Amino acid sequence: MAKTDCFVFSLSVVILAIVSLVAEAGYYVCDPEAYAKQGLDITEFAFCDDNLPYTERVKDLVDRMTVSEKIQNLGNRAKGVPRLGLKPYQWWSEALHGISSQGTGGVWFDSVVPGATSFPQVILTTATFNESLWKAIGETVSTEGRAMYNLKHAGITYWSPVINVVRDPRWGRTLETPGEDPFVVGRYAVNFVRGMQDVEGTQHIKDLDSRPLKVSACCKHMAAYDVEGWNGTTRFVFNSKVTQQDMVETFLRPFEMCVKEGEVSAVMCSYNKINGVPSCANPVLLNETVRNAWNLHGYIVADCDAVEEMKKHQNYMDYTPEETAAAALSAGLDLDCEDWRTYHSYYQDHLESATKQGLVREEDIDRSLTYLYTVQMRLGYFDGDTPFERLGKDDICTDQHVEMAADAARQGIVLLKNNDEALPLNPYFVKNIALIGPHGNASSAMLGNYAGTPCRLKTPLDGLSAYANVTFAKGCWNILCHDQGLFKPALEAAKSADATVLLVGLDNSVENEDLDRTNLLLPSNQAELINQVAKVSRGPVIVVIMSAGGVDISFALNNKAVHAIIWAGYPGEQGGRAIADVVFGAYNPGGRLPVTWYPNDYVNQIPMTSMRLRPIDQLGYPGRTHRFYTGPTVFPFGYGLSYTKFRHSIKLHKKALSVKINLPTHVHCRDLQYAGHKPTCPAVMVDDIHCHKNFKFDVVVANIGGRDGSQVVIVYSKPPAGIVGANVKQVIGFKRVFVPAGGRRTLRFQFNVCKALGIVDYKSSMLLASGQHTIIVGDQGNSFPLRVNLSF
Ligand SMILES: *[C@@H]1O[C@H](CO)[C@@H](O)[C@H](O)[C@H]1NC(C)=O
Ligand SMILES: *[C@@H]1O[C@H](CO)[C@@H](O)[C@H](O)[C@H]1NC(C)=O
Ligand SMILES: *[C@@H]1O[C@H](CO)[C@@H](O)[C@H](O)[C@H]1NC(C)=O
Ligand SMILES: *[C@@H]1O[C@H](CO)[C@@H](O)[C@H](O)[C@H]1NC(C)=O
Ligand SMILES: *[C@@H]1O[C@H](CO)[C@@H](O)[C@H](O)[C@H]1NC(C)=O
């Protein structure tokens, strides 16, 4: 008896301890104590009754609110409803590559939370082509976000990731994106979103109105937005003229994957107009496509201050402010993000008078609120009963998280040139290094934009110093490198060192949000610095480039005195360590370029504002991206070397070379434009057939070199020859695999015929063409034909 008492006693002490921890944790709405303090009886509020389904609770809440209260909750700075016990909520937090303090107040760092793990910028993380890493980063970022929320330093609704396809190499926001291939971008979105949102053990819940969320992610910016400012056109007024074909095939595809496969809980519309209609007032885009056709379960938010821009700079349809706000709401825009300069939200300022003028249906307001509160319920914001209540300071910037940031950078780094196996440097022989260049001691520059305060920065100087004695000479005052005043000490250092490492490239002063590049070159004197240093260096010369967009470094590629070139993106807080690990061979690089690197002349061939992806012969425009551009490149999409050698062989399964699809009699053949011979039945509409046909094959990756390493295998499909306007090739799958020296690994690839071979015609229909397709495996020239027979 006594023993049991004692047990009960100690158990209740533990429970008390847990309860008090929970009470310390982040705010949640339905806290009985908080209601009691306010003199309210919580049992009178059905929206706090956790026995009821979310749908009923949300309806109860919305029905209690006045129109004015409702409207004050449609801005990112939601005012709450004090009389109902609902506190204000800041919807805007950012987590592009780690919890970020960008924006107006969702996240902040101070002595309580001094920093959060800053992963490489997305463009470098994409270069890993490692889907499990993309997801793991999402999981880690959301764990830190939850911990910061509990410490009242962050929200639980994050407006990340950015999944715009990089259409033009000048685009200033390339660093934030997963590159130029819509399928790769879409897979990044799906993995990152699932990493952020999924709560372990609940993924099986089918009903997306009740499935728990760890944090809410948001795919942005929809759509056809990738001009910051070019020749006088800013992103705030840019009218993106797109064909329906490009829309379906390229600009919308990652968003569709994000919503349908990632089951994201928010989508953001962009500033630009699409064919004359602002994205955030476009009912076809928002309501018909995202909400209805893709079945979004979540909310649609405007880029910050996109609604105001419709009036201020676009003067769309000459609308009044009220008409503007009403147009956005009735197009399906749920939440308005304020003007970050004035803290004013157009919805909060103008929707009430719009309602009084009869321009708005209360039903539409209620529906938007329902989406918003349902997301908050799924987040546990009302009940505070999530598995994350106990996360705190010890879960941020852990050694494991920081190590993952280093590992992501190592996995992403791309080896572009390695003459005479100059790399890796052997630390046994290379005792001292000349480290030269404006990025030699790069710190916050490694984070790119949308960063927070990092936990532990490791600059290239720090990283290389772990391997050798380093003499550091900047060579240029900054990235712009306007003069050669600092060249002399750099040349001196190179003359006596065992090896020279040059750290050059771009930073936010050259490519950033609101800042496109005007050329694809290294800024002013950087190339001269490299050439002069290479000429006098005693040891091998290694050039490391930090940038997001491709840089035309043909000069260094052709210069025999430059032995090796590495691209390091913006490698995050541990970037310097990752670079050193690659340079000295502790890690064998396996990253691949997620964008085409064009020659500089590309910018003279096509205006940035031309959105078309296919070449336009009459205007002399080359195509865009590896799917349509066939001109010369500095490096093609998917390029990347290793310190070891791999050999691929394809093992085809029985009947792998031909797919026969019997068409039911009610299905009709669809036409395709052909240059030359056209098959009798050129194509069939994918939606017309139940397309369950798969094809599969194995790729055996043999490591025939002397070092362990990781290999990325990218699989492309190429439509039958002669189809007018078809892509050159498109990515349909990829895998990254580690293979020890002398070993081999077998990768199984399996594809649905229609998904992998489908092409979008000029009328924007998804078609399966008959005839001989080609499957291209990796960049070693391996391919095999795949014949599609359509017959009745
Ligand atoms: C992919 O990333 C994971 C980390 O999430 C890592 O454990 C794994 O080794 C990586 N795969 C390859 C082949 O590099
Ligand atoms: C830039 O804008 C000016 C003025 O509108 C126009 O004349 C010029 O052709 C544009 N340049 C390019 C390369 O399109
Ligand atoms: C969106 O589409 C649905 C279904 O067609 C319709 O009921 C609704 O009124 C539309 N508008 C908004 C703002 O949701
Ligand atoms: C390198 O950068 C760090 C962090 O910004 C700074 O503290 C240090 O003084 C720099 N070192 C040199 C040699 O410039
Ligand atoms: C760097 O130089 C010092 C003094 O010359 C020497 O003791 C040390 O071993 C060197 N470190 C490396 C990594 O070579």
Side-chain angles (χ1 to χ4, degrees):
M1 195 70 179
K3 209 175 165 190
T4 317
D5 271 348
C6 177
F7 175 69
V8 168
F9 171 73
S10 61
L11 191 67
S12 58
V13 168
V14 171
I15 289 172
L16 262 176
I18 294 172
V19 166
S20 64
L21 265 176
V22 170
E24 286 295 315
Y27 165 76
Y28 65 98
V29 176
C30 297
D31 174 2
E33 264 181 56
Y35 275 78
K37 246 188 223 160
Q38 238 186 294
L40 299 172
D41 177 3
I42 196 167
T43 61
E44 282 176 8
F45 299 93
F47 65 80
C48 277
D49 181 352
D50 61 9
N51 292 315
L52 296 175
Y54 290 163
T55 42
E56 284 177 38
R57 295 173 65 183
V58 168
K59 182 164 174 17
D60 174 69
L61 173 60
V62 173
D63 286 351
R64 286 169 188 270
M65 296 163 71
T66 65
V67 170
S68 164
E69 285 167 340
K70 287 174 182 177
I71 286 163
Q72 291 314 311
N73 283 285
L74 291 178
N76 62 295
R77 218 176 275 275
K79 299 271 160 63
V81 190
R83 66 179 182 91
L84 299 178
L86 200 60
K87 282 198 187 164
Y89 179 75
Q90 169 60 275
W91 284 89
W92 186 4
S93 291
E94 299 277 355
L96 181 66
H97 55 109
I99 303 300
S100 156
S101 41
Q102 184 100 11
T104 61
V107 172
W108 69 97
F109 295 97
D110 58 21
S111 57
V112 177
V113 184
T117 310
S118 198
F119 288 90
Q121 262 291 5
V122 176
I123 193 77
L124 187 70
T125 296
T126 306
T128 68
F129 283 86
N130 183 344
E131 296 197 66
S132 63
L133 175 74
W134 299 345
K135 188 167 180 205
I137 290 178
E139 286 166 0
T140 305
V141 170
S142 56
T143 294
E144 294 200 349
R146 268 288 173 177
M148 284 182 68
Y149 173 72
N150 290 345
L151 296 161
K152 302 186 164 63
H153 275 62
I156 33 179
T157 46
Y158 290 92
W159 293 349
S160 311
V162 173
I163 59 161
N164 297 93
V165 168
V166 178
R167 171 195 54 97
D168 190 287
R170 287 161 280 195
W171 189 31
R173 299 187 80 171
T174 298
L175 73 171
E176 302 175 38
T177 75
E180 75 182 23
D181 186 90
F183 177 78
V184 175
V185 175
R187 289 307 303 166
Y188 178 87
V190 170
N191 281 286
F192 183 79
V193 165
R194 288 206 165 273
M196 291 280 279
Q197 293 195 159
D198 284 356
V199 177
E200 219 185 304
T202 66
Q203 296 98 320
H204 64 279
I205 297 176
K206 289 250 162 15
D207 175 15
L208 290 179
D209 287 329
S210 67
R211 186 198 290 173
L213 292 166
K214 187 177 178 189
V215 301
S216 166
C218 170
C219 283
K220 70 186 184 186
H221 320 74
M222 187 165 150
Y225 155 59
D226 61 348
V227 172
E228 300 304 300
W230 186 83
N231 196 28
T233 301
T234 74
R235 58 183 175 152
F236 301 114
V237 297
F238 178 49
N239 181 19
S240 183
K241 290 186 189 144
V242 297
T243 64
Q244 291 308 315
Q245 181 181 37
D246 286 339
M247 206 61 185
V248 169
E249 184 181 55
T250 299
F251 299 117
L252 291 186
R253 184 159 187 217
F255 289 94
E256 181 173 6
M257 289 169 75
C258 175
V259 174
K260 287 184 178 170
E261 296 168 41
E263 297 177 323
V264 78
S265 52
V267 168
M268 180 184 282
C269 49
S270 54
Y271 293 118
N272 55 288
K273 290 184 265 191
I274 299 173
N275 298 329
V277 184
S279 303
C280 294
N282 188 336
V284 176
L285 196 61
L286 304 188
N287 199 37
E288 275 181 37
T289 305
V290 183
R291 178 68 62 193
N292 296 335
W294 299 347
N295 199 16
L296 172 75
H297 281 71
Y299 66 95
I300 300 177
V301 59
D303 203 343
C304 310
D305 64 338
V307 182
E308 183 182 58
E309 291 295 336
M310 285 178 211
K311 177 71 206 158
K312 202 163 80 179
H313 291 122
Q314 299 175 0
N315 196 22
Y316 178 58
M317 305 282 270
D318 233 341
Y319 279 161
T320 62
E322 286 81 5
E323 286 166 336
T324 304
L329 185 76
S330 61
L333 177 73
D334 304 307
L335 186 69
D336 178 34
C337 180
E338 69 200 1
D339 183 330
W340 73 95
R341 293 149 295 211
T342 62
Y343 302 142
H344 270 276
S345 141
Y346 230 59
Y347 268 13
Q348 287 170 330
D349 287 357
H350 302 294
L351 264 187
E352 195 166 348
S353 59
T355 311
K356 285 182 181 142
Q357 289 173 24
L359 301 170
V360 167
R361 294 186 298 191
E362 187 169 20
E363 181 193 320
D364 288 341
I365 294 174
D366 289 357
R367 189 166 27 214
S368 290
L369 287 167
T370 301
Y371 297 138
L372 289 162
Y373 290 127
T374 303
V375 166
Q376 286 188 328
M377 293 249 170
R378 294 171 63 194
L379 285 162
Y381 181 75
F382 280 77
D383 301 326
D385 59 351
T386 69
F388 313 110
E389 303 303 304
R390 300 187 64 183
L391 293 175
K393 218 172 154 148
D394 292 348
D395 301 288
I396 307 166
C397 288
T398 66
D399 289 346
Q400 196 202 349
H401 295 179
V402 173
E403 197 51 40
M404 189 188 281
D407 192 43
R410 284 189 289 255
Q411 289 191 40
I413 287 173
V414 180
L415 180 63
L416 296 172
K417 173 182 181 180
N418 194 16
N419 278 14
D420 311 325
E421 296 187 8
L423 284 179
L425 299 180
N426 185 335
Y428 186 76
F429 298 115
V430 177
K431 293 286 179 202
N432 54 72
I433 282 185
L435 172 61
I436 294 167
H439 271 324
N441 192 33
S443 52
S444 60
M446 295 191 299
L447 312 179
N449 62 3
Y450 281 79
T453 307
C455 324
R456 276 163 259 168
L457 275 173
K458 281 272 187 229
T459 74
L461 176 56
D462 297 335
L464 291 166
S465 298
Y467 287 95
N469 279 329
V470 178
T471 307
F472 171 45
K474 275 182 97 157
C476 312
W477 291 107
N478 57 32
I479 283 300
L480 301 175
C481 203
H482 284 310
D483 63 57
Q484 304 187 1
L486 291 179
F487 275 26
K488 200 154 178 277
L491 297 171
E492 287 309 314
K495 276 180 195 162
S496 55
D498 296 332
T500 298
V501 179
L502 281 137
L503 261 132
V504 298
L506 316 176
D507 67 9
N508 287 346
S509 68
V510 180
E511 51 176 356
N512 201 355
E513 181 167 12
D514 243 342
L515 182 65
D516 292 322
R517 287 189 290 168
T518 51
N519 63 58
L520 307 180
L521 302 172
L522 288 173
S524 42
N525 282 294
Q526 282 197 33
E528 191 57 28
L529 176 69
I530 294 169
N531 283 334
Q532 288 192 24
V533 165
K535 207 167 174 181
V536 301
S537 283
R538 189 166 74 88
V541 174
I542 319 302
V543 174
V544 181
I545 299 163
M546 281 193 205
S547 76
V551 186
D552 184 348
I553 45 152
S554 310
F555 77 93
L557 210 50
N558 299 329
N559 184 343
K560 286 206 168 58
V562 173
H563 302 88
I565 304 175
I566 283 171
W567 176 72
Y570 295 109
E573 65 170 77
Q574 292 285 302
R577 214 176 115 209
I579 289 168
D581 289 345
V582 167
V583 166
F584 279 96
Y587 188 86
N588 183 356
R592 300 302 187 98
L593 293 179
V595 289
T596 303
W597 284 33
Y598 303 86
N600 185 47
D601 188 46
Y602 188 83
V603 304
N604 303 318
Q605 295 174 31
I606 181 166
M608 204 175 161
T609 41
S610 164
M611 296 298 287
R612 295 272 287 276
L613 283 115
R614 286 160 177 78
I616 305 177
D617 294 340
Q618 308 88 294
L619 297 170
Y621 295 171
R624 295 178 172 285
T625 81
H626 77 94
R627 294 181 305 132
F628 298 104
Y629 174 76
T630 52
T633 61
V634 180
F635 294 110
F637 172 89
Y639 189 80
L641 306 171
S642 168
Y643 296 154
T644 189
K645 280 201 172 58
F646 294 101
R647 195 165 52 208
H648 296 167
S649 50
I650 301 171
K651 280 208 295 198
L652 292 173
H653 296 257
K654 264 179 276 164
K655 296 189 210 152
L657 295 175
S658 135
V659 178
K660 197 173 153 83
I661 294 179
N662 288 316
L663 303 177
T665 47
H666 68 272
V667 169
H668 299 278
C669 290
R670 300 284 167 155
D671 198 20
L672 273 171
Q673 266 184 294
Y674 260 88
H677 175 74
K678 189 194 288 194
T680 341
C681 179
V684 63
M685 190 119 108
V686 166
D687 282 348
D688 281 353
I689 54 173
H690 295 288
C691 192
H692 298 305
K693 286 260 160 76
N694 291 326
F695 65 97
K696 62 184 169 194
F697 56 90
D698 290 342
V699 179
V700 181
V701 180
N703 182 342
I704 55 169
R707 283 173 184 274
D708 300 352
S710 292
Q711 172 74 327
V712 169
V713 177
I714 304 175
V715 179
Y716 304 87
S717 73
K718 191 179 157 82
I723 300 174
V724 174
N727 56 50
V728 178
K729 64 183 194 314
Q730 59 183 344
V731 176
I732 57 172
F734 54 88
K735 285 186 203 293
R736 182 186 178 103
V737 64
F738 174 81
V739 191
R744 53 178 56 214
R745 293 284 180 274
T746 300
L747 300 178
R748 161 74 45 100
F749 285 97
Q750 176 162 334
F751 298 100
N752 173 281
V753 167
C754 290
K755 281 195 178 144
L757 306 182
I759 55 171
V760 179
D761 77 351
Y762 71 96
K763 304 189 292 297
S764 87
S765 303
M766 177 64 81
L767 301 179
L768 177 65
S770 66
Q772 187 162 306
H773 299 250
T774 307
I775 305 300
I776 303 166
V777 180
D779 44 15
Q780 302 190 342
N782 303 47
S783 67
F784 61 90
L786 185 67
R787 174 162 287 282
V788 172
N789 292 309
L790 300 174
S791 60
F792 290 94

